Amino acid sequence: MFRLSNLSYRAQRIVIIALFSIIPIMLLVTFSYIPVLGMFKYSFTDWNGLSPTYNWVGFDNFITIFTDEKYYEGFINSIYYFLGSFVQLAIALYFATILSFAVRGRNFFKGVFFFPSMINSVAVGLIFLFFFRPEGTLDTILSFMGITNPPKWLLNPDIINISLVGASVWRYLGFNLILMIGAISSVPSDLYEAAEIDGANRWHQFRYIILPSIRRIVAITVILSISGSVAPFEIPYIMTGGSNGSNTFVIQTVTTTFKYNKYGMGSAMAVVLFLIVILVTLIQKTFIKEEK
């Protein structure tokens, strides 16, 4: 009869680890890896999600993604979010630097900046839907300033993506701000004291102490922002549904898959997004490795 106590200590450890790991691994394989393999499989078919049969179409779905404007329009709109991420990082770095020094009420302002990050994206979308609508909050503020004919923020294709990016910047600014405050707080205080003795002002401290010390956090935040700018979904979907030229790649993927029942095409779009995220992750890993 098998008894665990008859095994060596090393064998007992291996058996116990295997027994505790087998169920999590089975769940991981069942609900993660098998669906991903299925996604790759269906990306080469014209499956509609309901029919028991489907046809193999080779790389036709992928060719359509990069040749049909309806599908690659989302990548073009991602440029707005990509540029907006740099604006967001610049604002976050600016206020993180100020709030890292002895400023009156800095804990209050940290809470004010971080508060939007705690709000659900659906609520943020609804807030800015009322904010940008005709005769909404923004138009009312502008009318007090004498601007009586403001643009249609969510109806004009030329500025709709800028409006949506503004909402995203407000939503995620606090998260980047807290990351940078944490990084700046790790800088030894004796460096500031030595700099002040040498006559360095706040700009010199930022330029030669803070920025070099947190460059790794800044770089990682930039990479994360790039991966996030590829797949914006909640805010543009809630505010516009992808209309008026605000369609993103993820919105188009959801629409193609669940509205038009093109599961084969939707799987191909998901594969493209998956590969982009993997590429960004590899760049991030390479960067971190080089820093070590």
Side-chain angles (χ1 to χ4, degrees):
M1 179 178 178
F2 174 77
R3 297 176 65 89
L4 188 62
S5 57
N6 294 333
L7 301 176
S8 64
Y9 176 71
R10 178 181 175 82
Q12 289 182 32
R13 288 191 60 186
I14 295 174
V15 171
I16 292 174
I17 292 173
L19 290 177
F20 274 96
S21 303
I22 187 168
I23 293 179
I25 291 175
M26 289 176 62
L27 293 175
L28 181 66
V29 172
T30 303
F31 295 104
S32 296
Y33 292 118
I34 292 178
V36 170
L37 293 176
M39 179 183 71
F40 276 90
K41 170 187 172 184
Y42 292 123
S43 67
F44 295 98
T45 70
D46 62 352
W47 189 42
N48 62 9
L50 298 174
S51 175
T53 61
Y54 49 80
N55 299 314
W56 294 93
V57 296
F59 288 93
D60 288 355
N61 289 334
F62 295 95
I63 295 173
T64 303
I65 291 172
F66 292 103
T67 55
D68 191 335
E69 183 180 0
K70 180 175 66 176
Y71 295 103
Y72 68 72
E73 179 190 25
F75 288 122
I76 298 175
N77 291 337
S78 294
I79 297 175
Y80 290 95
Y81 293 89
F82 176 72
L83 297 177
S85 66
F86 286 96
V87 175
Q88 180 189 70
L89 291 176
I91 297 173
L93 181 59
Y94 175 75
F95 285 107
T97 305
I98 292 176
L99 296 177
S100 295
F101 294 108
V103 179
R104 179 178 297 178
R106 62 175 180 173
N107 289 330
F108 170 76
F109 288 107
K110 287 179 184 177
V112 169
F113 281 112
F114 188 69
F115 178 71
S117 300
M118 301 172 63
I119 303 177
N120 185 275
S121 296
V122 176
V124 173
L126 293 175
I127 291 171
F128 278 92
L129 190 60
F130 286 102
F131 183 78
F132 284 121
R133 72 176 184 176
E135 300 181 357
T137 306
L138 181 57
D139 287 356
T140 302
I141 295 173
L142 293 176
S143 67
F144 281 119
M145 300 171 65
I147 301 175
T148 56
N149 190 23
K152 306 297 182 185
W153 305 103
L154 298 179
L155 299 176
N156 188 342
D158 294 331
I159 62 172
I160 186 171
N161 286 301
I162 298 175
S163 303
L164 296 175
V165 169
S168 296
V169 169
W170 184 84
R171 168 73 170 81
Y172 297 105
L173 175 65
F175 179 75
N176 290 327
L177 179 77
I178 294 300
L179 283 179
M180 293 184 181
I181 288 178
I184 295 174
S185 300
S186 65
V187 179
S189 59
D190 54 350
L191 292 179
Y192 298 118
E193 296 172 0
E196 289 179 357
I197 293 174
D198 292 338
N201 55 28
R202 293 301 189 193
W203 166 249
H204 291 147
Q205 293 179 19
F206 172 78
R207 173 69 179 81
Y208 297 106
I209 298 177
I210 295 177
L211 197 56
S213 301
I214 67 170
R215 66 182 186 277
R216 185 177 179 185
I217 291 295
V218 173
I220 292 175
T221 307
V222 170
I223 293 172
L224 292 177
S225 299
I226 293 172
S227 62
S229 65
V230 176
F233 175 69
E234 297 98 336
I235 292 176
Y237 186 76
I238 293 167
M239 293 180 64
T240 66
S243 60
N244 297 329
S246 64
N247 203 14
T248 66
F249 193 71
V250 178
I251 292 178
Q252 186 60 43
T253 302
V254 173
T255 303
T256 302
T257 305
F258 299 105
K259 184 176 181 179
Y260 299 112
N261 291 333
K262 295 182 177 180
Y263 277 69
M265 176 61 76
S267 297
M269 298 176 73
V271 168
V272 171
L273 190 60
F274 175 79
L275 295 177
I276 292 174
V277 173
I278 291 294
L279 178 62
V280 173
T281 303
L282 291 175
I283 295 174
Q284 178 185 354
K285 293 292 184 183
T286 303
F287 176 82
I288 293 175
K289 185 178 180 180
E290 289 177 352
E291 282 295 306
K292 289 179 179 178

